[in-house]
């Protein structure tokens, strides 16, 4: 198996030479190369690049000097002749590489640069052309050190075209940077090095990205371990829209790292479910080289995905929602680990057989909870704000139904909140039930996990109940997913740590 020899390259997009120099000094923590985007500098006279000399001479890492044309994404309009002279001068100052757009290659050659240190690049910020191979062949014909092709991915198939290009370049002994910009490009950014890319870019911080879809260097190195992945890396991820705030990549990747597994978990922001299924989930390893093993499913696809699957496990069939897909032998099987995730924390503290359980709310999470409770032989009452709307669900699961206002009268031994009431950014500080709902209650369980201390749980604690927070379910459902994909049990503390380290907690 070929070793992953690529590097994470930190892109420096600071506006002053001083700030750029400081950033370059910090880059070595997560990167092995830096690219200075000179076109971002606002305090440099581009006709006199001398102030860059000290920065280039004292570089702690190999440096690429780029002064991008505004027509190809440059930060400001700079006269092309001046830009090209600056690049040639930077090479003479000792820069390891200069990046020049293919459209300006001939003009740069007139300045006699060392072509052995040139990166020749092609950009398309709108789409990924169908003739990517022709573009590669045109770049390959130009004498230089490295070729770069960056295009906007409007669908996952665009990203896979880049991976195939990397395979071809590797076979031909050509150093290539091929990447797709935009959310769907994450596959190329993280897996590119494992497929032989010369480098993959990372931002120095959030908000300092030089192109759409760029992760930070820290994420590339610590979260995704881009430099450690291989052509055999098992690929998992989460599909949904949005997925940017999901805690799942942090949890699963932390466990892969702790267990030293050759696996990665990616955020797949999906616009077209059908396209993702055909291009990625059902992609054959022969055609794309992707070793896809499965993915989590979140809003808005938990039900919409069902028609695309070959099989459903009994839990997802009964709940009518899938939160996990396992890909095996070309078949896609839907699972619902929310069921096990919801019940596992409860089972740790109480035998559920015959237990009187009150479930507040009648949405998607409530279906998973009710199904799990019924499986364990619990006596369930559903408390809904609109019993008319919740009626069909109560009949389907053969459980009692009551108005939410009646919860205090029912005296349930276990009370479970499945509504979003109390959630940060929604109704933090509120509880879906009054404090006297906990009279006679032994265990209170809130599916809301952000904040960890909800008003519902605070009232329950004051009433002497044992309390369980939603973080336990979040972790337990992820543990079940991990087991389905890898056949291994992950360290739960790692999941907990990763989930709580994330600013916004969403599965
Ligand atoms: P959902 O499908 O939208 O269902 C929400 C339910 O809550 C509906 O029955 C809704 O009633 C009811 N509801 C909303 N506001 C209410 C209020 N003010 N008073 C009374 N009832 C109210 O959402 P979901 O997917 O089930 O998720 C619900 C909560 O569970 C969210 O906070 C989510 O973050 C959490 N959750 C946690 C985990 C975990 O791992 N810990 C997993 C899944 C979900 P109507 O039908 O009348 O609108």
């Amino acid at each position: 198996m070929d070793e992953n020899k690529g590097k994470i390259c930190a892109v420096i997009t600071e506006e002053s030479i001083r700030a750029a120099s400081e950033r370059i000094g910090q880059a070595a923590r997560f990167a092995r190369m830096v690219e200075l985007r000179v076109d971002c500098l606002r305090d440099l006279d581009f006709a006199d690049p001398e102030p860059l000399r000290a920065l280039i001479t004292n570089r702690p890492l190999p440096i690429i000097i780029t002064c991008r044309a505004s027509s190809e994404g440059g930060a400001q309009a700079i006269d092309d002749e001046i830009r090209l002279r600056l690049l040639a001068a930077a090479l003479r100052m000792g820069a390891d590489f200069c990046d020049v757009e293919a459209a300006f290659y001939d003009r740069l050659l007139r300045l006699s640069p060392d072509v052995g240190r040139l990166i020749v690049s092609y950009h398309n910020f709108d789409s990924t052309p169908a003739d990517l191979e022709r573009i590669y062949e045109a770049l390959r014909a130009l004498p230089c050190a490295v070729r770069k092709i960056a295009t906007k991915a409007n669908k996952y198939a665009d990203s896979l075209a880049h991976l195939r290009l990397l395979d071809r370049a590797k076979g031909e002994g050509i150093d290539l940077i091929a990447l797709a910009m935009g959310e769907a490009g994450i596959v190329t950014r993280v897996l590119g090095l494992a497929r032989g890319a010369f480098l993959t870019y990372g931002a120095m911080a959030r908000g300092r990205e030089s192109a759409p879809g760029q992760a930070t260097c820290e994420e590339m190195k610590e979260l995704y371990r881009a430099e450690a992945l291989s052509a055999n890396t098992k690929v998992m991820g989460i599909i949904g829209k949005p997925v940017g705030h999901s805690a799942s990549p942090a949890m699963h990747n932390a466990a892969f790292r702790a267990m030293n597994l050759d696996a990665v978990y990616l955020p797949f922001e999906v616009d077209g479910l059908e396209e993702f299924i055909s291009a990625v989930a059902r992609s054959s390893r022969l055609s794309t080289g992707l070793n896809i093993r499965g993915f989590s499913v979140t809003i808005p696809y938990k039900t919409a995905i069902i028609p695309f699957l070959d099989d459903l496990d009994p839990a997802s069939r009964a709940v009518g929602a899938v939160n996990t897909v396992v890909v095996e032998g070309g078949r896609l099987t839907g699972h619902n680990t929310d069921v096990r995730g919801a019940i596992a924390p409860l089972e740790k503290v109480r035998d559920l057989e015959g237990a009187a359980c009150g479930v507040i709310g009648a949405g998607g999470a409530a279906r998973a909870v009710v199904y799990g409770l019924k499986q364990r032989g619990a006596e369930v009452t559903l408390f809904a704000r609109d019993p008319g709307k919740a009626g069909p669900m109560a009949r389907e699961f053969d459980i009692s139904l009551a108005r939410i206002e009646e919860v205090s009268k029912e005296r349930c031994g276990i009370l479970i909140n499945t509504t979003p009431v109390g959630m940060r950014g929604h109704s933090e500080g509120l509880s879906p039930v009054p404090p006297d709902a906990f009279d006679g209650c032994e265990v209170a369980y809130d599916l809301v996990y952000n904040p960890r201390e909800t008003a519902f749980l605070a009232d329950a604690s004051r009433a002497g109940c044992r309390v369980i927070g939603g973080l336990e379910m979040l972790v337990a459902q992820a543990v079940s997913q991990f087991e389905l994909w890898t056949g291994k049990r992950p360290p739960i503390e790692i999941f907990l740590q990763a989930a709580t380290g994330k600013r916004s907690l969403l599965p």
Side-chain angles (χ1 to χ4, degrees):
M1 183 179 56
D2 286 339
E3 209 188 320
N4 173 341
K5 296 196 191 78
K7 300 171 179 66
I8 295 169
C9 176
V11 187
I12 311 295
T13 56
E14 297 301 326
E15 295 186 357
S16 73
I17 296 174
R18 191 193 161 119
S21 174
E22 274 169 25
R23 283 292 201 195
I24 289 172
Q26 297 158 359
R29 227 176 126 202
F30 302 114
R32 293 202 282 150
M33 197 174 239
V34 292
E35 177 191 43
L36 176 63
R37 284 288 299 266
V38 176
D39 52 292
C40 294
L41 294 174
R42 300 281 166 179
D43 60 353
L44 177 72
D45 172 1
F46 298 103
D48 173 19
E50 204 45 41
L52 297 180
R53 184 179 295 280
L55 194 147
I56 292 173
T57 308
N58 302 323
R59 64 196 186 280
L61 295 172
I63 191 165
I64 302 169
I65 299 292
T66 301
C67 191
R68 188 64 72 228
S70 55
S71 57
E72 299 210 22
Q76 49 188 314
I78 305 166
D79 177 80
D80 289 326
E81 201 52 39
I82 290 177
R83 270 191 328 105
L84 298 173
R85 286 189 183 285
L86 183 147
L87 293 181
L91 283 177
R92 285 194 301 276
M93 287 175 193
D96 298 274
F97 296 97
C98 275
D99 179 326
V100 64
E101 304 80 16
F104 291 94
Y105 177 85
D106 288 341
R107 280 176 71 179
L108 181 64
L109 275 204
R110 285 189 225 139
L111 302 172
S112 309
D114 173 1
V115 291
R117 288 185 286 147
L118 279 190
I119 298 174
V120 181
S121 55
Y122 167 89
H123 305 90
N124 186 327
F125 288 90
D126 299 321
S127 62
T128 297
D131 60 349
L132 214 49
E133 299 267 342
R134 297 288 89 75
I135 293 167
Y136 164 76
E137 285 158 14
L139 293 186
R140 192 185 53 183
L142 304 175
C144 63
V146 181
R147 282 83 179 169
K148 173 187 169 189
I149 302 178
T151 67
K152 169 82 193 303
N154 292 318
K155 50 189 191 317
Y156 279 90
D158 293 340
S159 291
L160 301 184
H162 277 282
L163 292 185
R164 281 194 294 271
L165 211 51
L166 284 169
D167 292 342
R168 176 173 171 189
K170 190 173 172 187
E172 295 175 354
I174 297 285
D175 277 328
L176 179 68
I177 304 161
L179 63 91
M181 296 179 279
E183 305 296 345
I186 186 78
V187 186
T188 62
R189 293 186 181 278
V190 174
L191 292 168
L193 296 185
R195 301 287 278 265
F198 180 70
L199 59 76
T200 187
Y201 298 99
M204 282 299 288
R206 283 241 169 265
R208 308 298 312 180
E209 299 85 359
S210 63
Q214 195 173 74
T216 64
C217 291
E218 182 174 0
E219 287 166 338
M220 293 298 273
K221 185 170 173 68
E222 305 290 330
L223 179 67
Y224 301 124
R225 297 180 297 149
E227 290 176 334
L229 305 180
S230 76
N232 287 323
T233 293
K234 296 183 180 70
V235 179
M236 279 135 290
I238 178 164
I239 69 163
K241 191 175 170 72
V243 292
H245 292 98
S246 168
S248 295
M251 289 193 285
H252 289 290
N253 284 318
F256 293 151
R257 168 193 277 272
M259 297 169 76
N260 202 19
L261 297 181
D262 187 9
V264 70
Y265 185 100
L266 300 173
F268 293 122
E269 180 118 354
V270 165
D271 279 316
L273 188 54
E274 195 164 358
E275 199 271 332
F276 176 85
I277 297 288
S278 63
V280 179
R282 289 200 183 277
S283 66
S284 89
R285 230 190 130 183
L286 263 182
S287 68
T288 64
L290 265 195
N291 189 3
I292 184 109
R293 291 306 177 95
F295 46 93
S296 314
V297 185
T298 188
I299 293 167
Y301 300 125
K302 284 188 171 189
T303 303
I305 195 156
I306 291 176
F308 296 99
L309 305 177
D310 299 304
D311 218 345
L312 293 179
D313 78 337
S316 53
R317 197 181 296 277
V319 174
V322 163
N323 79 330
T324 311
V325 172
V326 174
V327 180
E328 211 164 23
R331 289 182 67 77
L332 308 186
T333 306
H335 297 256
N336 193 317
T337 67
D338 278 342
V339 173
R340 221 190 116 50
I343 300 304
L346 264 181
E347 275 184 325
K348 276 201 278 182
V349 301
R350 268 273 337 238
D351 178 11
L352 296 174
E353 176 80 42
C357 299
V359 174
I360 306 158
R367 290 181 67 85
V369 169
V370 168
Y371 172 74
L373 289 173
K374 287 282 289 178
Q375 285 271 305
R376 268 72 176 175
E379 296 292 331
V380 183
T381 303
L382 193 62
F383 294 99
R385 63 176 169 182
D386 182 350
K389 195 169 149 194
M393 175 178 163
R395 283 192 292 280
E396 183 185 340
F397 288 101
D398 191 23
I399 53 175
S400 309
L401 175 64
R403 301 185 65 81
I404 202 166
E405 294 77 12
E406 292 173 58
V407 69
S408 310
K409 283 194 271 169
E410 290 287 331
R411 302 196 170 262
C412 301
I414 299 175
L415 257 190
I416 307 166
N417 174 36
T418 75
T419 76
V421 179
M423 222 169 94
R424 183 157 293 155
H426 179 273
S427 46
E428 190 172 355
L430 298 183
S431 169
V433 293
D436 66 3
F438 299 102
D439 293 348
C441 174
E442 291 167 46
V443 181
Y445 181 14
D446 197 342
L447 263 52
V448 171
Y449 43 77
N450 190 14
R452 290 178 78 170
E453 282 274 315
T454 60
F456 177 83
L457 293 183
D459 286 347
S461 282
R462 276 190 288 275
C465 300
R466 182 160 192 166
V467 298
I468 306 172
L471 193 61
E472 291 208 38
M473 172 175 172
L474 182 75
V475 167
Q477 62 81 26
V479 164
S480 293
Q481 295 183 316
F482 193 96
E483 288 172 342
L484 280 169
W485 294 323
T486 66
K488 296 181 166 55
R489 189 155 178 79
I492 292 180
E493 328 74 70
I494 298 277
F495 270 51
L496 261 174
Q497 240 173 42
T500 48
K502 185 85 186 167
R503 250 179 309 122
S504 167
L505 292 170
L506 289 170

